[in-house]
Amino acid sequence: MIQHTVAFSLKHPKGSPQELDFLKEGMKLAQIPTVRNFRCLRQVSRKNAFDFGFSMAFESEAAYQAYSNHPFHQTFVATRWIPEVREFLELDYVDYVSNPLG
Amino acid sequence: MIQHTVAFSLKHPKGSPQELDFLKEGMKLAQIPTVRNFRCLRQVSRKNAFDFGFSMAFESEAAYQAYSNHPFHQTFVATRWIPEVREFLELDYVDYVSNPLG
């Protein structure tokens, strides 16, 4: 399993209807068929500038690519993510023990 | 639940015995009593410079503080983390739905 995460902050005022609308639309990414365990998260550490996170799992690199290439994801990136996200960082994790010194 | 994560890279050569020794010592953080669901992770996205991650969950802010203040954690930070880690980023998540527009 690959855990795909993205931490992000929005250009919208905190707690605004625009913020909620963005998150609601983002949660629809969970409907892309290869997405597992989708979570919409609030980032609460004061040691960084990100306010939110999306986290999801993929069973394989192919499943990850199918998500990346899916029309809903590509449209979301073009019409919502790029215009509305202020900054973001993608982090993808696999269990270390399944890839020792890989 | 609070999911505490830290992405990091080490000063050690990749695949070195020093790297493995650091990770093995870090995995002992799982033994601190308030830590839940500890995972040692490999960071595999090429969109950032981090090679590893630790992830754990806490049932409350008090449980998180008990971890932070635990002598094993404080010794690990002072004797291993600060000397051996090149860069890191802490991200802490809670479920968005449990804190709507919080």
Side-chain angles (χ1 to χ4, degrees):
Chain A
M1 288 289 256
I2 304 161
Q3 186 185 6
H4 170 55
T5 71
V6 58
F8 59 97
S9 290
L10 297 171
K11 295 174 183 173
H12 305 305
K14 297 193 182 185
S16 65
Q18 295 93 328
E19 176 186 276
L20 181 60
D21 188 71
F22 178 91
L23 296 172
K24 281 186 174 176
E25 190 69 11
M27 288 183 213
K28 295 180 186 172
L29 293 166
Q31 298 172 12
I32 294 175
T34 58
V35 171
R36 303 283 178 271
N37 305 329
F38 185 92
R39 292 171 70 197
C40 179
L41 302 160
R42 189 177 293 279
Q43 200 295 119
V44 296
S45 172
R46 295 179 183 175
K47 297 179 181 176
N48 67 70
F50 301 110
D51 293 320
F52 301 104
F54 290 147
S55 173
M56 65 202 80
F58 299 107
E59 289 171 5
S60 64
E61 184 63 31
Y64 193 162
Q65 286 306 314
Y67 162 81
S68 292
N69 297 333
H70 193 283
F72 183 84
H73 177 252
Q74 297 212 331
T75 299
F76 178 77
V77 169
T79 65
R80 306 299 305 262
W81 190 268
I82 291 172
E84 298 177 53
V85 169
R86 181 158 49 84
E87 58 181 328
F88 70 98
L89 176 68
E90 294 180 72
L91 293 162
D92 293 342
Y93 290 116
V94 296
D95 279 329
Y96 174 75
V97 290
S98 67
N99 293 267
L101 301 182
Chain B
M1 288 286 257
I2 303 160
Q3 185 185 8
H4 169 54
T5 70
V6 57
F8 60 96
S9 290
L10 297 171
K11 296 175 182 173
H12 306 305
K14 296 192 182 187
S16 65
Q18 295 93 328
E19 176 187 275
L20 181 60
D21 187 70
F22 178 91
L23 295 172
K24 281 186 175 177
E25 189 70 11
M27 288 183 214
K28 295 179 186 172
L29 293 167
Q31 298 171 11
I32 294 175
T34 59
V35 172
R36 304 284 177 270
N37 306 329
F38 185 92
R39 293 171 70 196
C40 179
L41 301 160
R42 187 177 294 279
Q43 201 294 121
V44 296
S45 171
R46 294 178 183 175
K47 296 179 182 177
N48 67 69
F50 301 110
D51 293 321
F52 301 103
F54 291 146
S55 173
M56 63 202 81
F58 299 108
E59 289 170 6
S60 65
E61 185 63 30
Y64 192 163
Q65 287 306 313
Y67 162 82
S68 292
N69 297 334
H70 193 282
F72 183 84
H73 176 251
Q74 298 212 330
T75 300
F76 178 76
V77 169
T79 65
R80 305 299 303 264
W81 190 268
I82 290 171
E84 298 177 53
V85 169
R86 181 159 48 83
E87 58 180 328
F88 70 98
L89 176 68
E90 293 179 73
L91 293 162
D92 293 341
Y93 290 115
V94 295
D95 280 328
Y96 173 75
V97 289
S98 68
N99 291 269
L101 301 181

